[in-house]
Each structure stands twice: as structure tokens, then as C-alpha cells.
Amino acid sequence: MTAKIIAVTQQKGGVGKSTIAMHLGAALHEKEKKVLVVDADGQNTLIHWSSTTCEEVGIPFSIVNLAEAGGEIHKEIKKFVNDYDLIIIDCPPSITEQISGIVLLVASIAIIPISSSPADYWSSIGLMKLIQQAQIINEDLKAVFLLNKTEEKRMLTRELKRSLKKLSFPLLKTRISTRECYKQAMALGKTVLQMTDRSSKLASAEIRACTNEILMLLK
Ligand SMILES: Nc1ncnc2c1ncn2[C@@H]1O[C@H](COP(=O)(O)OP(=O)(O)O)[C@@H](O)[C@H]1O
Ligand SMILES: [Mg+2]
């Protein structure tokens, strides 16, 4: 078993990297994949999230903290590749950190969350250049944008989609809508896939669809 590596990366904070990394992990686990989620961001959102124990059900898959690994992160990741089908890496919100660059050298795909804010678009330009540099060495590296927190500001989303066409990487068909349940899930130490209210069910459907799209790209 040699794990495929999925990097969830973006220069900006607050775009949903951690939320998407955790939910991709949950949807892959549900598909009976052996999945490891790596917290590579010093803010350690995923470590805090998974150690929140409000209820009996917690995060049902492995999460490891490699935020301190710095320029050695590829060596730490290598220790896990034989034990998992997929390794998802929640990257730090910076392209100047060594971790962000190195992860792109070992990843099969980079998922770039983006919302409708122009700032997200601008920060994607620098990241796109970093990914293109990585692709010189890691020729198999794919990259895709994932629209997160849509719904609000529909006009802007349309504008953003037009702008994204100018960038080199495609946009996943599935969009992740803004829903309170993502915040609730984080506060409860679980994912929306484990919640049964209507909003969580709609959110789960989006997460599953997005995961399927990514799996197709990894084939
Ligand atoms: N689709 C969404 N709908 C509602 N809230 C979201 C959504 N995606 C992320 N959030 C919230 O936005 C905040 C930032 O998300 P997070 O995943 O921590 O971003 P990042 O890791 O990029 O800094 C969190 O409070 C999270 O719950
Ligand atoms: Mg984060």
C-alpha cells in the first residue's frame, strides 16, 4: 500500500483548509479507505478539533501532528505511506513556510480552497506559481480549486469563477456552501457526516460529491 497524498493548501487563513481536510478524511473513511489526516499547520486546528470530546462519537480516523516537522516533513510523511491508502495534509496559510513547498513535492494533488473574496483570488496567484514550480520536479502533481463558503454574495461567486478561468488549474464542479453546521461540528469534535440535521445532510452530500471528484482525479 503506498498512500496517495492530498495537500489542502492556500496562502490565506480562514478559507476552510482545515474544515475541508477534516471532511475529506471523514468521507474517505466512510468509503472504507485507510486514511490519515496530517495537521501541518502550527495553529493545530485539527489537533484541537479532534481532541474536543463533548460527546461519545469523535473523529473516527487517525490524525497526526507534523506542524513542527518543518523542512523534514517529507521524511515524517514517508513513515506513514505504507500504512494508509490516502494521506491528507492540512497545510499552513503561507507559501513561504518550508512545509508548504515540500508537501507539494510529495503530493499527488493540491486542493486549493477559495471563497468569493477577491483576496482569496489574489492569494491564489502566488500559490499557483509555487505549485507550478513544484510541478517541474513532481510532474504528476495535479491542482484544483474548490469553491468554499458559496451562497453568500452570488454575484461575487460568478465574478470569481470568471477570474479563476484565467488561472492554470480547474475548478471542481462541487461547491461547498456556507453552513453553520461546519462550525458546530468543529465545536463538537466531530464532522457533519456524523450529524443528522437537515443542514448537515446537505453539507454531507456536498462533501461526498467533492470527495468523489477528487478520487476520480487520483485514478
Ligand atoms: N463552508 C463553510 N460554512 C461555514 N463555515 C465554514 C465553512 N468552511 C469553513 N468554515 C468556518 O470558517 C472558519 C475558518 O475555517 P478553517 O477551516 O479553520 O480555515 P483555514 O484552515 O483555511 O484557516 C472556521 O470557523 C470554520 O468552521
Ligand atoms: Mg486551518
Side-chain angles (χ1 to χ4, degrees), residues 3-4 6 28 33-36 84-88 218:
K4 291 236 167 107
I6 302 174
L28 290 167
K33 303 280 185 198
K34 276 202 83 184
V35 59
L36 174 71
Y84 292 92
D85 298 313
L86 293 137
I87 298 178
I88 299 162
L218 285 175

Side-chain angles (χ1 to χ4, degrees), residues 20 114-116 145-161 164 171-179 182 202-211 213:
I20 288 161
I114 189 164
S115 78
S116 46
F145 288 102
L146 171 56
L147 260 183
N148 184 29
K149 303 194 191 181
T150 58
E151 237 149 55
E152 47 174 31
K153 312 183 202 107
R154 265 171 214 258
M155 277 294 289
L156 259 180
T157 302
R158 209 174 306 146
E159 201 48 48
L160 179 82
K161 279 176 93 174
L164 281 179
L171 177 65
L172 289 181
K173 273 199 218 71
T174 310
R175 308 202 223 158
I176 309 293
S177 310
T178 304
R179 296 185 206 276
Y182 287 108
L202 294 170
S204 300
E206 287 176 351
I207 292 294
R208 290 183 184 113
C210 151
T211 304
E213 272 194 76

Side-chain angles (χ1 to χ4, degrees), residues 108-131:
S108 294
I109 191 164
I111 311 295
I112 313 164
I114 189 164
S115 78
S116 46
S117 154
D120 287 15
Y121 170 72
W122 296 325
S123 69
S124 299
I125 297 172
L127 175 63
M128 189 181 78
K129 289 184 181 149
L130 185 73
I131 293 174

